[in-house]
């Protein structure tokens, strides 16, 4: 080969003229004048009269094979050339698939992560969004947000094993655009057998309250900075957030202030001192009952900018937090004050008890002490 010769690539379409050499690298100049560094064993000389439009290369190869069918030497050359190109392609794919696997990584764990750009200016900072693949599997994913009844695709790509991928960033003022998120993914391995994982399709509402509380962004194994990690798949199990009727919840929120005023007044003064240490957890004196007020005005300083579903998600999160705290204390009784209203919050709590905490015993709490809007749970 020499400068000026026309060549084409073996492992991909395209080609051009040789513009120079650098060791085992040949500089191929295409029709647009760009020089493409290519290994010398990845190009092949072609005739001067051929058309070098990359779109026609496959057609030319087929034509040349037909024209040279009676020439054994040409047939052999063509076959050797095709086998060489095939070997190059297979080697590239094989090398890409050679990834380091870790012990325990065959259990699928995948997260969506939100990382503050400037934690020192937390009230105004923007956020970076990542997909984290904490497994030995390759993952194909799509990430969408809702726009009315439709969805908008933000990212769709392949994620390599035990890696994270930056997707986008958004300003705090854009949080309302992330009210509903949909993530789809499927997992596989290359060049080896693997346990088949179910295809994942999950939707959840982003709890915007978390983006106003610095402590919800925590140290983690994936980022140097504190981050908010939301599980998509955890230990091979897809997360399934609770879906509720937002309009019904809204009615409950407005009615609870009037319907439950007397029960709340009964216990609010009794545990006022306890609230100073923890805004939502209050332990009764002289017995083993823990009382948790799940009313929004007890959990949050303000609900401005929050939808009814946002508030419910936050209340259920606190419900889980308390049960996880006392899960090792067998016999512990916990009273959750949820109010009467339309009963949406109570139904959400019962749903969690029936499906996630099946071993725990629950019943209506004492009407005399807590009114008609409380549920007592006993740790078993």
């Amino acid at each position: 080969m020499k400068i000026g010769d026309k060549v084409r690539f073996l492992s991909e379409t395209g080609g051009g003229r040789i513009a120079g050499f650098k060791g085992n690298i040949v500089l191929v100049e295409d029709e647009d004048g760009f020089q493409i560094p290519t290994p010398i064993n990845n190009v092949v000389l072609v005739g001067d009269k051929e058309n070098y439009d990359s779109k026609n290369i496959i057609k030319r190869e087929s034509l040349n094979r037909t024209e040279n069918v009676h020439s054994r030497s040409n047939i052999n050359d063509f076959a050797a050339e095709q086998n060489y190109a095939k070997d190059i392609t297979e080697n590239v794919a094989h090398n890409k698939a050679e990834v380091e696997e870790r012990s325990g990584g065959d259990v699928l764990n995948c997260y969506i992560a939100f990382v503050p750009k400037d934690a020192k200016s937390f009230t105004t900072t923007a956020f970076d969004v990542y997909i984290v693949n904490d497994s030995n599997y390759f993952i194909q994913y799509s990430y969408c947000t809702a726009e009315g009844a439709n969805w908008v695709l933000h990212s769709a790509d392949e994620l390599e094993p035990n890696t994270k991928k930056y997707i986008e960033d958004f300003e705090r003022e854009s949080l309302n655009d992330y009210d509903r998120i949909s993530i789809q993914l499927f997992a596989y391995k290359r060049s080896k057998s693997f346990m088949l994982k179910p295809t994942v399709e999950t939707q959840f509402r982003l709890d915007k309250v978390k983006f106003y509380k610095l402590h919800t962004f925590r140290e983690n194994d994936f980022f140097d900075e504190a981050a908010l990690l939301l599980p998509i798949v955890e230990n091979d199990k897809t997360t399934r957030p609770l879906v509720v009727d937002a309009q019904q919840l809204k009615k409950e929120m407005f009615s609870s202030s009037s319907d439950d005023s007397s029960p709340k007044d009964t216990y609010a003064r009794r545990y006022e001192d306890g609230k100073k240490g923890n805004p939502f957890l209050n332990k009764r004196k002289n017995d083993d009952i823990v009382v948790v007020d799940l009313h929004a005005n007890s959990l949050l300083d303000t609900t401005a900018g929050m939808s009814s579903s946002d508030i419910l998600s936050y209340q259920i999160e606190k419900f889980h937090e308390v049960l996880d705290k006392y899960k090792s204390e067998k016999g512990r009784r916990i009273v959750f004050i949820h109010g009467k209203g339309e009963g949406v919050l109570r139904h959400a709590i019962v749903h969690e008890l029936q499906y996630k905490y099946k071993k725990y015993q629950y019943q209506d709490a004492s009407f005399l002490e807590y009114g008609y809007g409380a549920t007592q749970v006993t740790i078993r």
Side-chain angles (χ1 to χ4, degrees):
M1 294 183 185
K2 63 182 183 299
I3 294 177
D5 284 347
K6 293 183 178 181
V7 295
R8 63 177 175 82
F9 304 130
L10 288 176
S11 60
E12 57 184 294
T13 59
R17 290 184 179 274
I18 297 178
F21 297 89
K22 290 185 178 181
N24 292 326
I25 301 298
V26 58
L27 302 178
V28 180
E29 184 174 304
D30 64 14
E31 58 186 11
D32 295 321
F34 292 102
Q35 292 186 2
I36 306 170
T38 307
I40 196 168
N41 58 5
N42 194 33
V43 297
V44 61
L45 287 169
V46 294
D48 290 337
K49 296 182 180 180
E50 289 192 83
N51 176 7
Y52 291 91
D53 184 350
S54 61
K55 294 181 180 179
N56 294 323
I57 286 179
I58 295 177
K59 293 181 179 179
R60 292 202 309 275
E61 289 178 348
S62 177
L63 179 62
N64 289 340
R65 187 173 184 180
T66 302
E67 290 174 347
N68 297 327
V69 70
H70 298 294
S71 171
R72 180 171 298 277
S73 60
N74 285 338
I75 291 176
N76 291 339
D77 291 344
F78 178 82
E81 180 182 307
Q82 293 302 307
N83 289 334
Y84 183 73
K86 180 180 179 182
D87 291 341
I88 290 288
T89 304
E90 290 178 349
N91 286 336
V92 170
H94 177 72
N95 291 334
K96 186 176 181 181
E98 289 182 352
V99 295
E100 183 177 352
E101 295 193 347
R102 60 178 179 80
S103 176
D106 283 347
V107 177
L108 198 61
N109 288 282
C110 189
Y111 307 87
I112 182 170
F114 300 90
V115 183
K117 285 181 174 289
D118 184 5
K120 295 181 179 179
S121 303
F122 186 73
T123 57
T124 58
T125 185
F127 299 91
D128 290 327
V129 184
Y130 290 82
I131 294 284
V132 178
N133 177 14
D134 186 26
S135 76
N136 293 334
Y137 284 78
F138 286 84
I139 289 178
Q140 288 280 351
Y141 74 89
S142 68
Y143 164 72
C144 305
T145 59
E147 188 176 85
N150 298 322
W151 294 88
V152 177
L153 178 67
H154 288 244
S155 178
D157 205 347
E158 181 184 65
L159 197 56
E160 294 188 357
N162 300 301
T163 60
K164 60 178 183 269
K165 179 180 177 62
Y166 170 80
I167 295 179
E168 62 177 350
D169 60 7
F170 63 86
E171 299 295 329
R172 184 181 293 274
E173 294 76 13
S174 303
L175 267 173
N176 287 333
D177 297 333
Y178 292 78
D179 184 50
R180 286 188 295 150
I181 293 176
S182 171
I183 295 178
Q184 299 171 309
L185 59 86
F186 68 92
Y188 53 90
K189 291 186 180 182
R190 291 187 176 139
S191 303
K192 63 176 64 177
S193 62
F194 58 91
M195 293 294 293
L196 195 63
K197 304 292 183 180
T199 301
V200 173
E201 182 176 2
T202 184
Q203 299 178 21
F204 56 90
R205 293 184 181 275
L206 197 61
D207 184 359
K208 293 184 279 292
V209 176
K210 293 179 183 292
F211 290 82
Y212 292 91
K213 294 183 178 291
L214 183 59
H215 70 271
T216 62
F217 291 81
R218 300 175 180 175
E219 292 184 1
N220 56 88
D221 296 331
F222 309 113
F223 301 91
D224 294 332
E225 309 88 348
L228 172 60
L229 292 170
L230 302 179
I232 303 168
V233 182
E234 213 164 29
N235 296 326
D236 283 339
K237 295 182 179 180
T238 305
T239 57
R240 298 188 182 279
L242 182 66
V243 179
V244 300
D245 187 333
Q247 293 299 322
Q248 189 178 8
L249 177 62
K250 185 175 181 180
K251 293 179 181 178
E252 179 189 8
M253 294 304 173
F254 282 108
S255 63
S256 61
S257 59
S258 57
D259 293 350
D260 301 303
S261 57
S262 55
K264 285 177 64 180
D265 291 342
T266 300
Y267 64 78
R269 292 189 299 273
R270 187 179 302 169
Y271 307 116
E272 184 175 359
D273 294 337
K275 289 185 179 181
K276 294 178 181 179
N278 191 316
F280 69 91
L281 184 62
N282 308 279
K283 186 173 180 179
R284 288 186 59 181
K285 299 178 180 180
N286 302 323
D287 62 22
D288 63 346
I289 295 182
V290 173
V291 179
V292 181
D293 185 357
L294 291 180
H295 283 91
N297 57 2
S298 294
L299 298 178
L300 300 163
D301 295 332
T302 177
T303 57
M306 296 179 64
S307 68
S308 300
S309 295
D310 294 334
I311 296 172
L312 179 63
S313 296
Y314 193 76
Q315 291 168 314
I316 294 300
E317 179 186 343
K318 295 305 177 185
F319 171 76
H320 289 306
E321 186 176 329
V322 174
L323 290 185
D324 288 344
K325 178 176 180 179
Y326 291 100
K327 63 183 179 182
S328 62
E329 299 186 21
K330 306 299 182 183
R332 168 71 69 181
R333 291 179 291 168
I334 306 171
V335 172
F336 292 96
I337 309 295
H338 45 69
K340 187 178 177 182
E342 296 292 329
V344 175
L345 179 54
R346 180 183 183 279
H347 289 317
I349 290 173
V350 170
H351 177 277
E352 295 297 292
L353 289 168
Q354 289 177 339
Y355 291 96
K356 189 170 183 178
Y357 304 97
K358 296 181 180 180
K359 295 183 179 180
Y360 294 177
Q361 179 183 342
Y362 69 93
Q363 64 188 62
D364 290 333
S366 169
F367 299 150
L368 180 62
E369 293 189 69
Y370 309 104
Y372 292 92
T375 297
Q376 177 178 297
V377 179
T378 303
I379 304 297
R380 296 298 187 190

